[in-house]
Amino acid sequence: MQDIAEQLQAWHASGRSFAVATVVGVSGSAPRDPGAALAVDAAGEAVGSVSGGCVEGAVYELCQEAVTSGRPVLERFGYSDEDAFAVGLTCGGVLDVFVQPITPGADPAMDAGIAYIASGTPVALARVIEGPAALVGATVAVTADSHHGRLSPAPTTTGALERAAVAEARAMLDAGRTGKVVLGLDGRPCDEEELGTVTFFVESYVPAPRMLVFGAIDFAAAVVRIGKFLGYHVTVCDARPVFATARRFPDADEVVVDWPHRYLDSQLDRIDGRTVLCVLTHDAKFDIPLLERALRLPVGFVGAMGSRRTHRDRNARLREVGLTDAEIGRLRSPIGLDLGARTPEETAVSVAAEIVAHRRGGSCLPLSAGDGPIHHDLARAQEDKARSHAA
């Protein structure tokens, strides 16, 4: 919902009822990740997408029905080849979509959640998508230090369930994760296959991940543009004021004039496991103090530009300042995949491709070179789940 938050807030502020369809489960080559959303208001206006086109029409109708009936529904869409116009995913995946009607003022948790999302305040929405009929659609909005909404005012078991759901949602918010949580009515963690369970879909809404680009060079301008395209909040930092200007980097969210290592030290409370650092200066007096710090931080990706010779010299200098081989091993250098790139734009594509592959677990091979799963992160999650069940 974060992508369509502005429109949802406008509908909500005007008192207009609407329904939100959210992807809550995927398998195979499903086109969208969990959390993708389509919303339809009482007048039939639609925003967002759950499938990139495959099942949009059917989901649109489900949203209209939910607005009218006031009842949530969980629907599964799978592969269909019986008719070219049948409702199904021709890619062969499976998509679970939860449709929830929303009436402004009727649900304190959804009211608070939409307000938090629109304002950029980190919040996790824990919604019951499967379980006892009286609980389906119940929502709790959880922030770092508070929560809004109740699952039910009655049974003591539901009190334990609510406390467990809040705790799970807060942990997922802290990690910036979105996904399912399955609990028993007494709040204990369960497997999906167990009877008498409650399945929550927890959506974490956190500020956009950060990309810190160090080195205000021509290649950096192209990396900034593609970073914005990928959804990052992009900052350019360089100690040279003649190069670090907003005019040279109009696409950047911030342009900072400071020594890279000093700026990084000032940002420790604003970086996390999703943060990407691109070090493009290939100048030791800037790079070494910066990388000495960066490679010891829990960030998602650290890459540095330079030739093979620069890379070897850089590694030797990092060892001299006390970094271990394991810490140096986190450095992606020379940064980017081997695409034969020459221009700044081609180089930016190379850098972006490595960042995506590192994040998603891609092999970096052409898709035509294999016959395995296209979405590596989903396959890896399913393997991890199978291993945990076997254990």
Side-chain angles (χ1 to χ4, degrees):
M1 284 193 285
Q2 197 156 3
D3 294 339
I4 58 176
E6 185 175 347
Q7 184 60 64
L8 297 188
Q9 176 65 13
W11 289 347
H12 192 273
S14 67
R16 194 182 308 182
S17 296
F18 55 94
V20 177
T22 307
V23 176
V24 298
V26 299
S27 63
S29 299
R32 299 295 303 274
D33 288 335
L38 168 72
V40 179
D41 74 349
E45 182 181 354
V47 292
S49 170
V50 293
S51 71
C54 301
V55 298
E56 303 296 295
V59 174
Y60 178 88
E61 292 179 4
L62 287 174
C63 286
Q64 288 187 309
E65 293 171 7
V67 171
T68 301
S69 69
R71 292 191 298 271
V73 62
L74 178 64
E75 189 78 18
R76 169 164 290 185
F77 296 93
Y79 177 66
S80 174
D81 62 357
E82 297 176 358
D83 185 326
F85 296 99
V87 175
L89 301 179
T90 55
C91 58
V94 175
L95 203 66
D96 291 328
V97 178
F98 183 69
V99 182
Q100 183 169 11
I102 298 172
T103 300
D107 186 339
M110 289 303 302
D111 292 345
I114 290 172
Y116 281 132
I117 295 168
S119 69
T121 302
V123 63
L125 292 182
R127 293 188 284 164
V128 178
I129 61 172
E130 286 187 288
L135 287 179
V136 173
T139 303
V140 181
V142 180
T143 66
D145 53 12
S146 66
H147 74 275
H148 304 264
R150 297 288 305 277
L151 296 184
S152 170
T156 55
T157 52
T158 305
L161 175 64
E162 183 177 310
R163 289 190 295 273
V166 169
E168 292 282 354
R170 188 163 287 138
M172 293 179 71
L173 175 64
D174 185 59
R177 290 182 52 234
T178 286
K180 291 181 182 179
V181 172
V182 182
L183 302 171
L185 286 172
D186 58 359
R188 61 185 174 82
C190 296
D191 291 328
E192 286 188 71
E193 294 78 10
E194 292 186 42
L195 299 176
T197 60
V198 180
T199 301
F200 293 84
F201 184 68
V202 180
E203 300 165 86
S204 293
Y205 299 97
V206 293
R210 298 192 68 193
M211 175 182 283
L212 306 183
V213 179
F214 295 99
I217 63 176
D218 289 345
F219 285 89
V223 171
V224 168
R225 288 195 294 274
I226 205 163
K228 290 297 297 178
F229 177 74
L230 291 176
Y232 286 93
H233 178 98
V234 183
T235 300
V236 176
C237 176
D238 197 300
R240 302 165 296 180
V242 68
F243 296 116
T245 66
R247 184 171 183 178
R248 293 189 70 225
F249 299 96
D251 298 303
D253 295 288
E254 301 171 289
V255 179
V256 176
V257 178
D258 201 349
W259 278 77
H261 72 279
R262 189 164 61 191
Y263 176 70
L264 183 62
D265 286 344
S266 74
Q267 299 298 298
L268 298 183
D269 61 340
R270 295 184 58 202
I271 60 177
D272 57 27
R274 304 174 302 148
T275 303
V276 166
L277 275 64
C278 299
V279 182
L280 309 183
T281 48
H282 48 85
D283 184 331
K285 67 176 178 289
F286 296 121
D287 291 358
I288 300 306
L290 171 63
L291 291 172
E292 180 185 358
R293 290 160 170 77
L295 293 172
R296 288 169 170 162
L297 293 174
V299 296
F301 179 94
V302 182
M305 180 175 281
S307 66
R308 302 287 185 188
R309 180 177 179 179
T310 298
H311 169 70
R312 290 191 293 270
D313 178 66
R314 183 189 290 131
N315 282 1
R317 290 172 181 264
L318 290 173
R319 288 189 181 90
E320 289 174 1
V321 297
L323 264 67
T324 66
D325 287 343
E327 290 167 338
I328 295 172
R330 295 184 58 212
L331 178 62
R332 317 288 288 196
S333 171
I335 193 173
L337 298 187
D338 182 8
L339 305 183
R342 283 285 186 179
T343 68
E345 291 74 19
E346 290 173 346
T347 301
V349 171
S350 167
V351 170
E354 182 175 25
I355 291 170
V356 173
H358 182 71
R359 179 184 178 189
R360 300 297 190 185
S363 68
C364 303
L365 295 173
L367 290 176
S368 60
D371 57 4
I374 293 175
H375 300 111
H376 289 261
D377 53 346
L378 296 179
R380 186 171 54 196
Q382 290 168 353
E383 290 171 2
D384 291 344
K385 182 177 179 180
R387 280 195 294 268
S388 68
H389 282 176

